[in-house]
Amino acid sequence: MSAVESFTPSVVQLTERAVNKVKSLIEDEANDDLKLRVFVTGGGCSGFQYGFTFDELAEEDDTLVEKDGVTVLVDSLSYQYIDGAEVDYVEGLEGSRFVVSNPNAETTCGCGSSFSI
């Protein structure tokens, strides 16, 4: 049995807009094996920043969250920082992007892509 764990969407929640955008991007790539990876790295104006990429395969220590046919991957290091967060997709004057509402963040920067704990 693999060490990959699967949890309910309460770990990281996706809004309907985020789900629809991920489905659209996967369709554009014509690869049904793609999964959205949400991760945290050091840097940004507030200490940590969010990152998004697509992966075909889950790593052994990934947490998987599935919603409406979309799979989100969160690595074990990022998990502690974004547990309970919500991923949305917004379109506005700043452009189109995924954004994270994170209950664990004590402060966020004006751009919304970095935070501190």
Side-chain angles (χ1 to χ4, degrees):
M1 184 169 158
S2 171
V4 172
E5 297 180 39
S6 182
F7 291 90
T8 61
S10 62
V11 175
V12 175
Q13 297 182 39
L14 273 75
T15 65
E16 186 176 331
R17 286 186 302 235
V19 168
N20 290 336
K21 184 61 178 180
V22 171
K23 285 181 177 180
S24 172
L25 292 170
I26 290 171
E27 186 177 301
D28 290 348
E29 292 296 319
N31 183 350
D32 291 338
D33 293 332
L34 292 178
K35 298 157 188 53
L36 179 67
R37 179 172 295 281
V38 180
F39 59 94
V40 173
T41 60
C45 29
S46 293
F48 295 101
Q49 60 188 6
Y50 303 109
F52 304 92
T53 188
F54 280 103
D55 278 341
E56 289 185 17
L57 300 173
E59 298 295 328
E60 195 171 298
D61 66 342
D62 284 342
T63 297
L64 280 70
V65 176
E66 296 180 350
K67 181 176 180 182
D68 298 333
V70 168
T71 301
V72 175
L73 305 173
V74 180
D75 65 83
S76 61
L77 293 174
S78 299
Y79 177 90
Q80 62 187 322
Y81 298 112
I82 59 176
D83 183 26
E86 179 183 74
V87 177
D88 194 8
Y89 184 78
V90 297
E91 296 178 1
L93 295 175
E94 298 105 19
S96 303
R97 60 193 169 115
F98 288 102
V99 294
V100 177
S101 297
N102 188 345
N104 303 307
E106 290 182 8
T107 59
T108 60
C109 69
C111 68
S113 65
S114 69
F115 67 102
S116 66
I117 302 271

